[in-house]
Amino acid sequence: MSKYLSKRFDKLTPYIPGEQPKISNLIKLNTNESPFPPSPKAIAEAEIELSRLNLYSDPECTVLLKKLSEILGVKEEQVIATNGSDEILNFAFMAYCDNNTGVVFPDITYGFYKVFAELYNLEYKEIPLKDDLSIDYRDYLNAGKTIFIANPNAPTGIYLGLDKIEEILKSNPDNIVVIDEAYVDFGNESAVKLINKYNNLLVTGTFSKSRSMAGARLGFGVASKEIIKDLQAIRYSTNPYNVNRMTLAAGYGVLCDEEYTKSNLKEVIYNRDYLSDELKKLGFKMTDSTANFIFTKHEKISGELLYNKLRERNILVRYFNKEKISDYLRITIGTKDEMDKLIKNIKEIIREVL
Protein backbone atom coordinates (compact mmCIF):
# COMPACT_ATOMS: atom_id res chain seq x y z
CA MET A 1 0.00 0.00 0.00
CA SER A 2 1.21 3.52 -0.72
CA LYS A 3 1.63 6.21 1.92
CA TYR A 4 -1.22 8.10 0.25
CA LEU A 5 -3.95 5.56 0.99
CA SER A 6 -6.55 6.85 3.44
CA LYS A 7 -5.99 5.62 6.98
CA ARG A 8 -9.58 4.39 7.10
CA PHE A 9 -8.45 1.45 4.98
CA ASP A 10 -5.61 0.39 7.29
CA LYS A 11 -7.43 -2.73 8.43
CA LEU A 12 -9.09 -3.60 5.13
CA THR A 13 -8.61 -7.20 4.03
CA PRO A 14 -9.60 -7.43 0.35
CA TYR A 15 -11.74 -10.24 -1.00
CA ILE A 16 -9.66 -12.96 -2.66
CA PRO A 17 -11.35 -14.34 -5.79
CA GLY A 18 -11.09 -18.00 -6.68
CA GLU A 19 -7.91 -18.80 -8.54
CA GLN A 20 -8.07 -18.33 -12.33
CA PRO A 21 -4.91 -20.10 -13.55
CA LYS A 22 -3.93 -20.26 -17.21
CA ILE A 23 -3.04 -23.94 -17.34
CA SER A 24 -3.88 -26.24 -20.22
CA ASN A 25 -5.77 -29.47 -19.55
CA LEU A 26 -7.05 -28.09 -16.27
CA ILE A 27 -10.23 -29.40 -14.67
CA LYS A 28 -11.46 -26.20 -13.03
CA LEU A 29 -13.88 -26.85 -10.19
CA ASN A 30 -13.06 -23.99 -7.84
CA THR A 31 -15.18 -20.94 -8.69
CA ASN A 32 -18.74 -22.23 -9.16
CA GLU A 33 -18.89 -21.29 -12.83
CA SER A 34 -21.16 -23.17 -15.19
CA PRO A 35 -19.46 -25.95 -17.17
CA PHE A 36 -21.66 -25.06 -20.15
CA PRO A 37 -21.21 -22.19 -22.63
CA PRO A 38 -23.79 -19.40 -22.81
CA SER A 39 -26.97 -19.98 -24.74
CA PRO A 40 -26.55 -19.64 -28.53
CA LYS A 41 -29.25 -16.97 -28.36
CA ALA A 42 -27.18 -15.03 -25.81
CA ILE A 43 -24.13 -15.20 -28.06
CA ALA A 44 -26.11 -14.13 -31.12
CA GLU A 45 -27.65 -11.13 -29.33
CA ALA A 46 -24.26 -10.04 -27.98
CA GLU A 47 -22.64 -10.25 -31.41
CA ILE A 48 -25.20 -7.81 -32.80
CA GLU A 49 -23.95 -5.19 -30.33
CA LEU A 50 -20.30 -5.46 -31.42
CA SER A 51 -20.75 -2.83 -34.08
CA ARG A 52 -22.47 -0.49 -31.63
CA LEU A 53 -19.79 -0.32 -28.95
CA ASN A 54 -19.13 3.30 -29.90
CA LEU A 55 -22.43 4.11 -28.19
CA TYR A 56 -23.22 4.01 -24.48
CA SER A 57 -25.42 1.23 -23.23
CA ASP A 58 -29.01 1.88 -22.16
CA PRO A 59 -28.75 3.17 -18.57
CA GLU A 60 -32.29 2.01 -17.87
CA CYS A 61 -31.59 -1.53 -19.15
CA THR A 62 -35.10 -1.44 -20.60
CA VAL A 63 -35.21 -4.53 -22.80
CA LEU A 64 -33.44 -6.75 -20.28
CA LEU A 65 -35.53 -5.68 -17.29
CA LYS A 66 -38.79 -6.07 -19.19
CA LYS A 67 -37.93 -9.68 -20.00
CA LEU A 68 -36.47 -10.42 -16.57
CA SER A 69 -39.52 -9.02 -14.75
CA GLU A 70 -41.78 -11.23 -16.89
CA ILE A 71 -39.80 -14.34 -15.96
CA LEU A 72 -39.66 -13.42 -12.26
CA GLY A 73 -43.34 -12.50 -12.16
CA VAL A 74 -42.78 -8.96 -10.86
CA LYS A 75 -43.18 -5.41 -12.16
CA GLU A 76 -40.36 -3.73 -14.10
CA GLU A 77 -39.99 -1.08 -11.40
CA GLN A 78 -39.27 -3.85 -8.87
CA VAL A 79 -36.02 -4.94 -10.59
CA ILE A 80 -32.59 -3.37 -11.02
CA ALA A 81 -29.74 -4.63 -13.22
CA THR A 82 -26.15 -4.46 -11.98
CA ASN A 83 -22.57 -5.32 -12.91
CA GLY A 84 -22.65 -8.76 -11.30
CA SER A 85 -24.46 -9.47 -8.04
CA ASP A 86 -21.47 -8.05 -6.13
CA GLU A 87 -22.54 -4.58 -7.29
CA ILE A 88 -26.09 -4.91 -5.99
CA LEU A 89 -24.67 -6.13 -2.68
CA ASN A 90 -22.35 -3.13 -2.63
CA PHE A 91 -25.30 -0.82 -3.30
CA ALA A 92 -27.17 -2.40 -0.39
CA PHE A 93 -24.26 -1.81 1.98
CA MET A 94 -24.08 1.83 0.86
CA ALA A 95 -27.82 2.41 1.07
CA TYR A 96 -28.81 0.59 4.25
CA CYS A 97 -25.77 0.47 6.53
CA ASP A 98 -24.16 3.35 8.41
CA ASN A 99 -23.00 4.44 11.86
CA ASN A 100 -26.53 4.03 13.17
CA THR A 101 -27.38 0.77 11.44
CA GLY A 102 -24.85 -2.02 11.64
CA VAL A 103 -24.66 -5.29 9.74
CA VAL A 104 -25.13 -8.94 10.66
CA PHE A 105 -24.29 -12.07 8.66
CA PRO A 106 -23.03 -15.63 9.30
CA ASP A 107 -19.41 -16.21 10.29
CA ILE A 108 -19.04 -18.71 7.45
CA THR A 109 -20.57 -17.29 4.29
CA TYR A 110 -19.74 -15.28 1.17
CA GLY A 111 -16.53 -13.42 1.99
CA PHE A 112 -17.55 -10.15 0.40
CA TYR A 113 -20.00 -9.31 3.21
CA LYS A 114 -17.16 -8.80 5.66
CA VAL A 115 -15.10 -6.95 3.04
CA PHE A 116 -17.91 -4.49 2.34
CA ALA A 117 -18.50 -3.97 6.08
CA GLU A 118 -14.83 -3.15 6.60
CA LEU A 119 -14.64 -1.05 3.43
CA TYR A 120 -17.34 1.26 4.80
CA ASN A 121 -16.08 1.12 8.40
CA LEU A 122 -19.31 -0.41 9.62
CA GLU A 123 -20.06 -2.13 12.88
CA TYR A 124 -20.75 -5.75 12.00
CA LYS A 125 -21.55 -8.98 13.79
CA GLU A 126 -20.73 -12.45 12.52
CA ILE A 127 -23.10 -15.11 13.83
CA PRO A 128 -21.66 -18.64 14.12
CA LEU A 129 -23.27 -21.40 12.12
CA LYS A 130 -24.66 -24.39 14.00
CA ASP A 131 -22.51 -27.49 14.44
CA ASP A 132 -23.98 -28.96 11.27
CA LEU A 133 -22.92 -25.76 9.41
CA SER A 134 -26.51 -24.62 8.90
CA ILE A 135 -27.94 -21.18 9.72
CA ASP A 136 -30.14 -20.94 12.80
CA TYR A 137 -32.79 -18.43 11.74
CA ARG A 138 -33.54 -17.65 15.40
CA ASP A 139 -30.16 -15.91 15.66
CA TYR A 140 -31.46 -13.23 13.29
CA LEU A 141 -34.80 -12.51 14.93
CA ASN A 142 -35.06 -8.92 16.18
CA ALA A 143 -31.50 -8.29 15.05
CA GLY A 144 -32.00 -4.55 14.70
CA LYS A 145 -29.38 -4.43 11.94
CA THR A 146 -29.23 -4.88 8.18
CA ILE A 147 -29.12 -8.64 7.56
CA PHE A 148 -27.27 -10.42 4.76
CA ILE A 149 -27.93 -14.12 4.18
CA ALA A 150 -26.74 -16.15 1.21
CA ASN A 151 -29.40 -18.73 0.45
CA PRO A 152 -28.25 -21.39 -0.25
CA ASN A 153 -25.28 -20.37 1.85
CA ALA A 154 -21.74 -20.39 0.53
CA PRO A 155 -19.59 -22.41 0.84
CA THR A 156 -21.89 -24.91 2.59
CA GLY A 157 -24.66 -25.00 -0.01
CA ILE A 158 -27.31 -25.37 2.71
CA TYR A 159 -30.70 -23.81 1.97
CA LEU A 160 -32.82 -21.96 4.53
CA GLY A 161 -36.55 -22.47 3.97
CA LEU A 162 -38.79 -19.55 3.10
CA ASP A 163 -40.80 -20.06 6.28
CA LYS A 164 -37.63 -19.25 8.25
CA ILE A 165 -36.89 -16.28 5.99
CA GLU A 166 -40.37 -14.96 6.70
CA GLU A 167 -39.80 -15.18 10.46
CA ILE A 168 -36.64 -13.09 10.05
CA LEU A 169 -38.47 -10.53 7.91
CA LYS A 170 -41.40 -10.24 10.32
CA SER A 171 -39.16 -9.72 13.34
CA ASN A 172 -37.06 -7.00 11.67
CA PRO A 173 -39.66 -4.63 10.18
CA ASP A 174 -37.40 -1.58 10.54
CA ASN A 175 -34.38 -3.13 8.84
CA ILE A 176 -33.56 -4.40 5.37
CA VAL A 177 -33.07 -8.16 4.98
CA VAL A 178 -30.94 -9.06 1.97
CA ILE A 179 -31.32 -12.61 0.65
CA ASP A 180 -28.47 -13.38 -1.73
CA GLU A 181 -29.74 -16.04 -4.14
CA ALA A 182 -26.70 -16.66 -6.33
CA TYR A 183 -27.35 -20.42 -6.16
CA VAL A 184 -31.11 -20.62 -5.74
CA ASP A 185 -31.83 -22.04 -9.20
CA PHE A 186 -30.29 -25.44 -8.49
CA GLY A 187 -33.32 -26.92 -6.78
CA ASN A 188 -34.69 -24.30 -4.39
CA GLU A 189 -37.58 -21.88 -4.01
CA SER A 190 -36.82 -18.18 -4.46
CA ALA A 191 -37.77 -15.52 -1.93
CA VAL A 192 -38.82 -13.24 -4.82
CA LYS A 193 -42.39 -14.40 -4.23
CA LEU A 194 -42.27 -12.56 -0.86
CA ILE A 195 -41.34 -9.06 -2.05
CA ASN A 196 -44.94 -7.86 -2.26
CA LYS A 197 -45.58 -9.13 1.25
CA TYR A 198 -42.52 -7.64 2.97
CA ASN A 199 -41.31 -4.12 2.19
CA ASN A 200 -37.99 -4.77 3.94
CA LEU A 201 -36.90 -7.61 1.62
CA LEU A 202 -34.21 -7.30 -1.05
CA VAL A 203 -33.43 -10.40 -3.12
CA THR A 204 -30.24 -10.44 -5.17
CA GLY A 205 -29.44 -12.74 -8.07
CA THR A 206 -26.89 -13.38 -10.78
CA PHE A 207 -26.56 -14.68 -14.33
CA SER A 208 -23.13 -16.14 -13.48
CA LYS A 209 -24.18 -19.58 -12.28
CA SER A 210 -27.37 -21.00 -13.75
CA ARG A 211 -27.23 -18.89 -16.92
CA SER A 212 -23.56 -19.48 -17.81
CA MET A 213 -22.58 -15.80 -17.90
CA ALA A 214 -19.95 -15.40 -15.18
CA GLY A 215 -17.61 -13.59 -17.55
CA ALA A 216 -20.29 -11.14 -18.67
CA ARG A 217 -20.86 -9.77 -15.14
CA LEU A 218 -24.62 -9.41 -14.85
CA GLY A 219 -26.59 -9.36 -11.62
CA PHE A 220 -29.90 -8.02 -10.41
CA GLY A 221 -31.94 -7.05 -7.38
CA VAL A 222 -35.65 -7.55 -6.75
CA ALA A 223 -37.58 -5.61 -4.12
CA SER A 224 -40.39 -3.14 -3.55
CA LYS A 225 -40.57 -0.17 -5.88
CA GLU A 226 -39.34 2.10 -3.08
CA ILE A 227 -36.22 0.01 -2.38
CA ILE A 228 -35.38 -0.18 -6.08
CA LYS A 229 -35.63 3.63 -6.23
CA ASP A 230 -33.09 3.80 -3.40
CA LEU A 231 -30.72 1.50 -5.24
CA GLN A 232 -31.20 3.28 -8.57
CA ALA A 233 -30.23 6.54 -6.85
CA ILE A 234 -27.00 4.90 -5.68
CA ARG A 235 -26.39 3.46 -9.17
CA TYR A 236 -26.94 6.79 -10.96
CA SER A 237 -24.62 8.44 -8.42
CA THR A 238 -21.78 6.01 -9.09
CA ASN A 239 -22.00 4.43 -12.56
CA PRO A 240 -25.22 4.89 -14.59
CA TYR A 241 -23.83 2.86 -17.51
CA ASN A 242 -22.94 -0.03 -15.22
CA VAL A 243 -24.00 -2.83 -17.60
CA ASN A 244 -22.36 -2.78 -21.02
CA ARG A 245 -24.20 -3.21 -24.35
CA MET A 246 -23.01 -6.75 -25.04
CA THR A 247 -23.87 -7.97 -21.55
CA LEU A 248 -27.35 -6.45 -21.72
CA ALA A 249 -27.93 -8.15 -25.05
CA ALA A 250 -26.54 -11.50 -23.90
CA GLY A 251 -28.67 -11.34 -20.76
CA TYR A 252 -31.78 -10.74 -22.87
CA GLY A 253 -30.81 -13.57 -25.19
CA VAL A 254 -30.40 -16.15 -22.45
CA LEU A 255 -33.73 -15.11 -20.93
CA CYS A 256 -35.30 -15.90 -24.31
CA ASP A 257 -33.88 -19.42 -24.05
CA GLU A 258 -35.22 -20.75 -20.77
CA GLU A 259 -35.27 -24.32 -22.11
CA TYR A 260 -31.49 -24.17 -22.51
CA THR A 261 -31.09 -22.98 -18.93
CA LYS A 262 -33.48 -25.61 -17.57
CA SER A 263 -31.63 -28.37 -19.42
CA ASN A 264 -28.30 -27.26 -17.96
CA LEU A 265 -29.77 -27.03 -14.46
CA LYS A 266 -31.12 -30.55 -14.75
CA GLU A 267 -27.69 -31.87 -15.75
CA VAL A 268 -25.88 -30.03 -12.95
CA ILE A 269 -28.32 -31.40 -10.37
CA TYR A 270 -27.87 -34.92 -11.75
CA ASN A 271 -24.08 -34.61 -11.68
CA ARG A 272 -24.20 -33.18 -8.16
CA ASP A 273 -26.15 -36.16 -6.89
CA TYR A 274 -23.91 -38.56 -8.81
CA LEU A 275 -20.71 -37.05 -7.37
CA SER A 276 -22.14 -37.01 -3.85
CA ASP A 277 -23.10 -40.67 -4.03
CA GLU A 278 -19.70 -41.72 -5.38
CA LEU A 279 -17.75 -39.73 -2.79
CA LYS A 280 -19.81 -41.19 0.06
CA LYS A 281 -18.67 -44.64 -1.08
CA LEU A 282 -15.07 -43.43 -0.66
CA GLY A 283 -15.49 -42.26 2.94
CA PHE A 284 -16.55 -38.67 2.38
CA LYS A 285 -19.12 -36.74 4.40
CA MET A 286 -20.81 -33.62 3.11
CA THR A 287 -23.39 -30.97 3.80
CA ASP A 288 -26.80 -31.18 2.17
CA SER A 289 -25.88 -28.82 -0.64
CA THR A 290 -28.55 -27.64 -3.04
CA ALA A 291 -26.19 -25.37 -4.98
CA ASN A 292 -23.98 -26.03 -8.01
CA PHE A 293 -21.25 -27.30 -5.74
CA ILE A 294 -20.76 -29.74 -2.88
CA PHE A 295 -19.00 -29.10 0.42
CA THR A 296 -17.27 -32.24 1.56
CA LYS A 297 -14.54 -33.74 3.74
CA HIS A 298 -12.87 -37.13 3.98
CA GLU A 299 -12.85 -39.06 7.24
CA LYS A 300 -9.08 -39.68 7.17
CA ILE A 301 -7.50 -37.16 4.76
CA SER A 302 -7.14 -33.47 5.56
CA GLY A 303 -8.74 -30.95 3.24
CA GLU A 304 -5.45 -29.18 2.61
CA LEU A 305 -3.65 -32.39 1.66
CA LEU A 306 -6.40 -33.47 -0.68
CA TYR A 307 -6.55 -30.00 -2.23
CA ASN A 308 -2.82 -30.03 -2.93
CA LYS A 309 -2.84 -33.60 -4.26
CA LEU A 310 -5.64 -32.72 -6.68
CA ARG A 311 -3.86 -29.56 -7.76
CA GLU A 312 -0.77 -31.60 -8.61
CA ARG A 313 -3.03 -33.52 -10.98
CA ASN A 314 -4.38 -30.35 -12.63
CA ILE A 315 -7.71 -30.52 -10.79
CA LEU A 316 -8.57 -27.30 -9.04
CA VAL A 317 -11.09 -27.19 -6.17
CA ARG A 318 -11.59 -24.56 -3.42
CA TYR A 319 -9.94 -24.90 -0.02
CA PHE A 320 -10.72 -22.58 2.90
CA ASN A 321 -8.06 -22.34 5.58
CA LYS A 322 -10.55 -21.33 8.23
CA GLU A 323 -11.30 -22.89 11.58
CA LYS A 324 -14.34 -25.18 11.55
CA ILE A 325 -14.20 -25.82 7.81
CA SER A 326 -10.48 -26.41 7.19
CA ASP A 327 -11.05 -30.10 6.44
CA TYR A 328 -13.68 -29.34 3.82
CA LEU A 329 -13.34 -28.79 0.10
CA ARG A 330 -15.84 -26.95 -2.05
CA ILE A 331 -16.14 -28.69 -5.39
CA THR A 332 -17.98 -27.04 -8.27
CA ILE A 333 -20.17 -29.40 -10.26
CA GLY A 334 -18.87 -29.83 -13.80
CA THR A 335 -19.72 -32.12 -16.68
CA LYS A 336 -20.19 -35.85 -16.16
CA ASP A 337 -16.79 -36.45 -17.75
CA GLU A 338 -15.15 -34.00 -15.33
CA MET A 339 -16.85 -35.67 -12.38
CA ASP A 340 -15.63 -39.09 -13.53
CA LYS A 341 -12.07 -37.81 -13.85
CA LEU A 342 -12.29 -36.22 -10.40
CA ILE A 343 -13.53 -39.45 -8.83
CA LYS A 344 -10.84 -41.48 -10.58
CA ASN A 345 -8.08 -39.18 -9.28
CA ILE A 346 -9.50 -39.11 -5.75
CA LYS A 347 -9.49 -42.92 -5.69
CA GLU A 348 -5.83 -42.88 -6.73
CA ILE A 349 -4.98 -40.31 -4.05
CA ILE A 350 -6.71 -42.38 -1.36
CA ARG A 351 -4.71 -45.46 -2.36
CA GLU A 352 -1.54 -43.37 -2.30
CA VAL A 353 -2.14 -41.69 1.06
CA LEU A 354 -3.85 -44.37 3.16
Side-chain angles (χ1 to χ4, degrees), residues 329-345:
L329 295 179
R330 193 194 68 192
I331 304 174
T332 301
I333 303 304
T335 63
K336 177 64 162 48
D337 181 61
E338 288 174 327
M339 299 297 92
D340 284 334
K341 289 178 180 177
L342 172 67
I343 293 164
K344 176 179 178 293
N345 278 273

Side-chain angles (χ1 to χ4, degrees), residues 202-264:
L202 168 61
V203 179
T204 66
T206 179
F207 282 58
S208 295
K209 317 302 180 181
S210 61
R211 291 190 165 87
S212 303
M213 285 180 50
R217 311 308 304 130
L218 181 58
F220 60 92
V222 192
S224 68
K225 180 172 66 175
E226 291 73 23
I227 288 178
I228 295 301
K229 282 185 177 180
D230 296 342
L231 300 171
Q232 292 285 25
I234 297 290
R235 183 174 73 88
Y236 275 95
S237 300
T238 53
N239 183 13
Y241 301 105
N242 61 329
V243 184
N244 69 72
R245 296 187 71 92
M246 293 180 68
T247 292
L248 283 175
Y252 171 76
V254 74
L255 292 176
C256 293
D257 199 359
E258 283 291 271
E259 287 306 312
Y260 180 83
T261 297
K262 290 176 182 177
S263 175
N264 289 343

Side-chain angles (χ1 to χ4, degrees), residues 169-354:
L169 287 162
K170 286 188 289 188
S171 72
N172 292 279
D174 298 322
N175 294 96
I176 294 294
V177 177
V178 180
I179 303 300
D180 180 356
E181 293 189 339
Y183 307 104
V184 78
D185 293 331
F186 299 94
N188 301 290
E189 190 175 14
S190 173
V192 166
K193 64 188 296 183
L194 301 177
I195 65 167
N196 291 322
K197 188 175 181 181
Y198 299 97
N199 290 328
N200 58 330
L201 172 63
L202 168 61
V203 179
T204 66
T206 179
F207 282 58
S208 295
K209 317 302 180 181
S210 61
R211 291 190 165 87
S212 303
M213 285 180 50
R217 311 308 304 130
L218 181 58
F220 60 92
V222 192
S224 68
K225 180 172 66 175
E226 291 73 23
I227 288 178
I228 295 301
K229 282 185 177 180
D230 296 342
L231 300 171
Q232 292 285 25
I234 297 290
R235 183 174 73 88
Y236 275 95
S237 300
T238 53
N239 183 13
Y241 301 105
N242 61 329
V243 184
N244 69 72
R245 296 187 71 92
M246 293 180 68
T247 292
L248 283 175
Y252 171 76
V254 74
L255 292 176
C256 293
D257 199 359
E258 283 291 271
E259 287 306 312
Y260 180 83
T261 297
K262 290 176 182 177
S263 175
N264 289 343
L265 288 172
K266 184 177 180 180
E267 188 164 348
V268 168
I269 292 169
Y270 175 86
N271 290 344
R272 182 185 68 202
D273 294 341
Y274 168 71
L275 178 62
S276 298
D277 290 342
E278 292 300 310
L279 290 183
K280 287 175 183 177
K281 297 174 185 177
L282 299 175
F284 283 83
K285 294 182 179 180
M286 60 203 65
T287 60
D288 185 17
S289 174
T290 55
N292 67 332
F293 57 84
I294 63 170
F295 198 55
T296 185
K297 67 177 181 178
H298 193 270
E299 296 173 338
K300 298 179 181 179
I301 305 175
S302 74
E304 185 175 15
L305 177 61
L306 186 54
Y307 164 79
N308 286 322
K309 289 289 185 181
L310 286 170
R311 201 178 194 288
E312 290 171 3
R313 295 162 175 261
N314 276 7
I315 299 176
L316 203 58
V317 297
R318 193 74 186 267
Y319 170 69
F320 298 90
N321 186 16
K322 186 173 183 178
E323 187 179 359
K324 200 177 201 177
I325 60 171
S326 60
D327 279 334
Y328 283 85
L329 295 179
R330 193 194 68 192
I331 304 174
T332 301
I333 303 304
T335 63
K336 177 64 162 48
D337 181 61
E338 288 174 327
M339 299 297 92
D340 284 334
K341 289 178 180 177
L342 172 67
I343 293 164
K344 176 179 178 293
N345 278 273
I346 287 178
K347 287 179 178 178
E348 292 173 357
I349 292 171
I350 290 174
R351 286 196 294 268
E352 174 188 328
V353 173
L354 299 183

Side-chain angles (χ1 to χ4, degrees), residues 22-289:
K22 297 174 176 61
I23 303 173
S24 59
N25 300 318
L26 179 73
I27 297 178
K28 190 172 181 296
L29 307 173
N30 68 319
T31 49
N32 298 340
E33 297 149 316
S34 172
F36 310 110
S39 156
K41 291 184 180 180
I43 295 172
E45 292 288 339
E47 286 178 342
I48 293 173
E49 296 303 313
L50 277 170
S51 63
R52 301 172 182 168
L53 292 182
N54 56 308
L55 304 174
Y56 284 115
S57 58
D58 174 14
E60 296 182 0
C61 308
T62 309
V63 175
L64 174 74
L65 292 185
K66 184 177 187 302
K67 188 66 177 178
L68 181 59
S69 63
E70 290 174 3
I71 288 175
L72 295 176
V74 299
K75 297 177 181 178
E76 291 178 53
E77 58 264 33
Q78 292 177 306
V79 190
I80 181 174
T82 55
N83 191 312
S85 60
D86 290 335
E87 187 175 52
I88 185 66
L89 293 170
N90 187 21
F91 289 168
F93 270 87
M94 285 194 280
Y96 304 114
C97 310
D98 53 31
N99 292 333
N100 297 316
T101 305
V103 191
V104 61
F105 45 81
D107 65 335
I108 297 173
T109 190
Y110 184 35
F112 237 131
Y113 303 155
K114 184 176 180 179
V115 172
F116 282 137
E118 292 181 347
L119 179 66
Y120 296 118
N121 293 297
L122 300 169
E123 176 188 330
Y124 65 90
K125 179 181 180 182
E126 296 177 281
I127 297 180
L129 297 181
K130 295 195 294 184
D131 289 341
D132 64 358
L133 301 182
S134 66
I135 292 173
D136 189 337
Y137 79 97
R138 292 168 294 189
D139 291 334
Y140 298 85
L141 300 182
N142 304 300
K145 303 176 188 293
T146 302
I147 297 169
F148 287 82
I149 294 177
N151 196 35
N153 195 19
T156 65
I158 299 174
Y159 176 73
L160 186 65
L162 292 191
D163 56 333
K164 308 297 193 304
I165 298 295
E166 283 205 68
E167 291 301 315
I168 295 171
L169 287 162
K170 286 188 289 188
S171 72
N172 292 279
D174 298 322
N175 294 96
I176 294 294
V177 177
V178 180
I179 303 300
D180 180 356
E181 293 189 339
Y183 307 104
V184 78
D185 293 331
F186 299 94
N188 301 290
E189 190 175 14
S190 173
V192 166
K193 64 188 296 183
L194 301 177
I195 65 167
N196 291 322
K197 188 175 181 181
Y198 299 97
N199 290 328
N200 58 330
L201 172 63
L202 168 61
V203 179
T204 66
T206 179
F207 282 58
S208 295
K209 317 302 180 181
S210 61
R211 291 190 165 87
S212 303
M213 285 180 50
R217 311 308 304 130
L218 181 58
F220 60 92
V222 192
S224 68
K225 180 172 66 175
E226 291 73 23
I227 288 178
I228 295 301
K229 282 185 177 180
D230 296 342
L231 300 171
Q232 292 285 25
I234 297 290
R235 183 174 73 88
Y236 275 95
S237 300
T238 53
N239 183 13
Y241 301 105
N242 61 329
V243 184
N244 69 72
R245 296 187 71 92
M246 293 180 68
T247 292
L248 283 175
Y252 171 76
V254 74
L255 292 176
C256 293
D257 199 359
E258 283 291 271
E259 287 306 312
Y260 180 83
T261 297
K262 290 176 182 177
S263 175
N264 289 343
L265 288 172
K266 184 177 180 180
E267 188 164 348
V268 168
I269 292 169
Y270 175 86
N271 290 344
R272 182 185 68 202
D273 294 341
Y274 168 71
L275 178 62
S276 298
D277 290 342
E278 292 300 310
L279 290 183
K280 287 175 183 177
K281 297 174 185 177
L282 299 175
F284 283 83
K285 294 182 179 180
M286 60 203 65
T287 60
D288 185 17
S289 174

